[in-house]
Amino acid sequence: MPPPLSPSRHLLPPAVVVVALTAAAMHRAWLHERVAALLGDGAADSAGLAIGIAAWLAAAWLGSRVLDVVVDRPTRAGRPRAIPRLLADLLRALIYGAALFAILGSVLDQPVTGLLATSGVLIAVLGFALRNMIADIFSGIALNIERPYRIGDWIELAPGVAGQVDEINWRATRLITTEGTAVIVPNGVAAGSRFVNFSRPGTGFRAAVPITLDEEVPVARAKRVLLSALVCADGVLAEPRPDVLVESIGANGIVYQARFWVADYGRLSACRDAVASTILQHLGRAGIELAHPKQDVRAHRPQPRTRVPGTLRRSLMRQLELFSAFRDEEIEELAQALNRLELPAGTVAVRQGEAGSSLFIVAEGVLDVRMQSDGQQEGRASLLDRMRPGDVFGEMSLLTGQPRSASVVANTDAVVYELDKDHLDPVLRRRPELATQLAELMAQRQSRNSLQRQAEGAAGLAPAVAAPHDLLARLRGFFKL
């Protein structure tokens, strides 16, 4: 975008010309005598006409330059220009048109009234022939004055016709769709129809994805799982916070609206894809299926499906890398020992610095890992990580008994399963060799977390990485192996 015009440098040349020609016109009689004495009366008359015509054209030139300065003057961020470009073009045409009639009337001594009458008839004929184009032009002027949308805004003129405003000219508005194609919309159509501006009044707007689940799934649990997916989906704004509502209850199940905010309409398709994918992932981890179409007539009412209590627990345990070396019967033993905890949003699952001897597996919901560094004010802990379904935290306290290195707070309503040291102790006593594998896996996990913190610029918040032999010694000492 070119820099704003300097008023003094932009207006000085036409102003000098106007002053010079005005002075020459005021002394026309004196100049006529001098030119007539040298070149004759014909040349003097022609020189007088040329000075008069040039004076009016110079005045029109100066007027158009004043419009340029007004249109291109700097404005505060977010404020529209004083005069839209399209209106400025119309005013510039009127200025030169007025100068033309002034030349005809005052310089050439032509009957302007008759010319205006003839021009009126001609304009009426042309106006009838070009009525649609003229309507588009005046609609463009109205759009530039009211400014319901601007260059760069995302608008939807009709269902399926949406794009980013690329140009607003005399006759039409050009949109660039998300597919990269151009849509040309006459200004008359845009001004005379209802359209949606996704970029006003703010840059963000809310969208929704409908999800249908069986009525057998408790509403509170369905909302918890869907909300955790929204919080974890890429592209969803954290503020305003997403939410989940029950839209309707139908024959096929309960329809939920997973509502979220998007920063830019151009990212809507990608954001919907991320939301839908994350919802399917979280539903799968929770063992919840989408509703299937139901038959209108049933011979008998089927019994509600019930989940085997240990199935989800075994699944959560088996997917943890930490217990990859454990046998199936050992996994079953630990799964049966898990303690189920429901954490309302805002509940502190573990607090930094407190003693602990258990780990937690996230089954539903989202939890934030926060760490308070030295010198940081109370309640100003930094967000270190985000725990999602299938993630585990507190393993260092379980294996070594060290205090909690960070606080974990429920971002949404959550369900976690707790595994205590007393549950793991019998397994390690039967198979002490598992301690070595646990120490190696913990060292690898700490190393990966440290590299991730460095990539995110939060290396100072991550706990120090311990060597495998140090972890093994601490583990054996804690379990007295």
Side-chain angles (χ1 to χ4, degrees):
M1 182 177 179
L5 298 174
S6 173
S8 57
R9 297 179 59 184
H10 197 61
L11 298 179
L12 184 60
V16 171
V17 174
V18 168
V19 170
L21 292 175
T22 302
M26 294 175 61
H27 298 81
R28 186 186 307 177
W30 181 81
L31 290 174
H32 186 275
E33 293 178 0
R34 298 297 183 274
V35 174
L38 294 175
L39 302 176
D41 290 338
D45 293 339
S46 298
L49 291 176
I51 291 174
I53 293 173
W56 282 109
L57 292 178
W61 182 28
L62 178 60
S64 66
R65 283 295 181 92
V66 171
L67 275 178
D68 290 339
V69 171
V70 172
V71 170
D72 294 326
R73 71 181 180 182
T75 58
R76 288 183 294 177
R79 293 290 302 275
R81 298 185 181 278
I83 300 178
R85 174 68 65 181
L86 192 58
L87 182 59
D89 292 341
L90 179 61
L91 293 176
R92 192 176 292 109
L94 292 176
I95 289 174
Y96 279 101
L100 176 61
F101 279 100
I103 291 172
L104 293 174
S106 62
V107 178
L108 302 179
D109 295 327
Q110 296 296 320
V112 179
T113 304
L115 182 61
L116 288 175
T118 304
S119 301
V121 175
L122 179 61
I123 290 173
V125 174
L126 290 176
F128 182 79
L130 304 175
R131 59 187 182 279
N132 292 333
M133 183 178 295
I134 294 175
D136 291 338
I137 291 174
F138 279 95
S139 296
I141 295 173
L143 290 174
N144 275 266
I145 294 176
E146 297 179 5
R147 301 182 71 84
Y149 54 80
R150 306 173 188 175
I151 302 296
D153 286 357
W154 286 92
I155 64 174
E156 183 181 57
L157 295 176
V161 182
Q164 189 175 32
V165 180
D166 182 63
E167 180 185 1
I168 308 174
N169 55 38
W170 279 88
R171 198 189 71 82
T173 296
R174 184 172 66 181
L175 307 179
I176 303 298
T177 67
T178 53
E179 290 78 17
T181 58
V183 177
I184 309 300
V185 182
N187 288 330
V189 174
S193 61
R194 173 185 176 275
F195 58 85
V196 179
N197 191 333
F198 294 102
S199 303
R200 295 287 182 271
T203 55
F205 67 96
R206 186 165 62 188
V209 172
I211 302 293
T212 305
L213 302 178
D214 283 332
E215 66 275 7
E216 301 161 4
V217 180
V219 173
R221 187 185 184 208
K223 288 185 175 182
R224 180 170 61 232
V225 174
L226 294 177
L227 181 58
S228 67
L230 292 177
V231 172
C232 297
D234 294 334
V236 173
L237 295 179
E239 294 293 337
R241 191 171 175 82
D243 58 7
V244 179
L245 301 178
V246 175
E247 181 186 50
S248 63
I249 303 174
N252 292 328
I254 301 176
V255 180
Y256 298 87
Q257 284 289 342
R259 307 192 304 177
F260 54 94
W261 289 78
V262 186
D264 182 16
Y265 183 85
R267 294 278 304 161
L268 178 59
S269 296
C271 192
R272 282 183 181 275
D273 175 73
V275 167
S277 300
T278 309
I279 285 177
L280 292 175
Q281 180 183 12
H282 281 232
L283 289 176
R285 288 186 179 275
I288 301 175
E289 297 182 354
L290 296 176
H292 299 286
K294 309 294 191 305
Q295 293 184 355
D296 294 334
V297 179
R298 297 182 179 179
H300 66 280
R301 183 176 182 83
Q303 295 297 323
R305 290 173 296 175
T306 58
R307 172 174 296 279
V308 179
T311 303
L312 179 59
R313 300 185 182 200
R314 287 195 300 272
S315 174
L316 290 172
M317 290 291 300
R318 179 49 70 190
Q319 69 185 0
L320 294 180
E321 181 186 13
L322 188 65
F323 300 103
S324 59
F326 284 58
R327 298 168 180 167
D328 290 341
E329 60 271 18
E330 294 167 344
I331 292 292
E332 178 67 26
E333 179 181 347
L334 295 178
Q336 294 299 328
L338 290 176
N339 182 29
R340 185 178 186 274
L341 300 175
E342 294 189 5
L343 304 176
T347 302
V348 179
V350 298
R351 195 176 301 275
Q352 181 178 349
E354 290 183 350
S357 60
S358 62
L359 64 72
F360 298 85
I361 308 172
V362 182
E364 299 174 8
V366 178
L367 298 96
D368 293 338
V369 181
R370 297 188 175 273
M371 177 176 287
Q372 186 173 342
S373 58
D374 296 337
Q376 202 169 19
Q377 296 180 358
E378 185 71 22
R380 305 280 292 182
S382 301
L383 179 62
L384 192 64
D385 202 353
R386 179 158 283 174
M387 298 286 103
R388 309 179 183 193
D391 290 341
V392 61
F393 61 93
E395 60 272 24
M396 286 299 295
S397 297
L398 169 69
L399 299 179
T400 65
Q402 74 176 35
R404 305 295 186 183
S405 59
S407 298
V408 180
V409 184
N411 183 294
T412 67
D413 292 346
V415 173
V416 300
Y417 286 92
E418 182 181 17
L419 179 66
D420 195 79
K421 172 198 172 185
D422 295 337
H423 305 147
L424 183 62
D425 184 74
V427 179
L428 293 183
R429 290 193 178 278
R430 290 195 300 267
R431 295 181 63 203
E433 65 273 14
L434 288 174
T436 302
Q437 300 179 10
L438 286 174
E440 293 177 352
L441 289 171
M442 280 301 306
Q444 295 173 8
R445 178 179 171 86
Q446 283 192 330
S447 178
R448 287 197 302 268
N449 290 342
S450 178
L451 293 175
Q452 182 180 356
R453 300 291 181 273
Q454 293 177 6
E456 296 173 353
L461 296 176
V465 179
H469 63 274
D470 292 334
L471 287 174
L472 179 59
R474 291 160 61 183
L475 190 154
R476 286 176 173 171
F478 185 55
F479 282 88
K480 298 181 174 57
L481 299 177

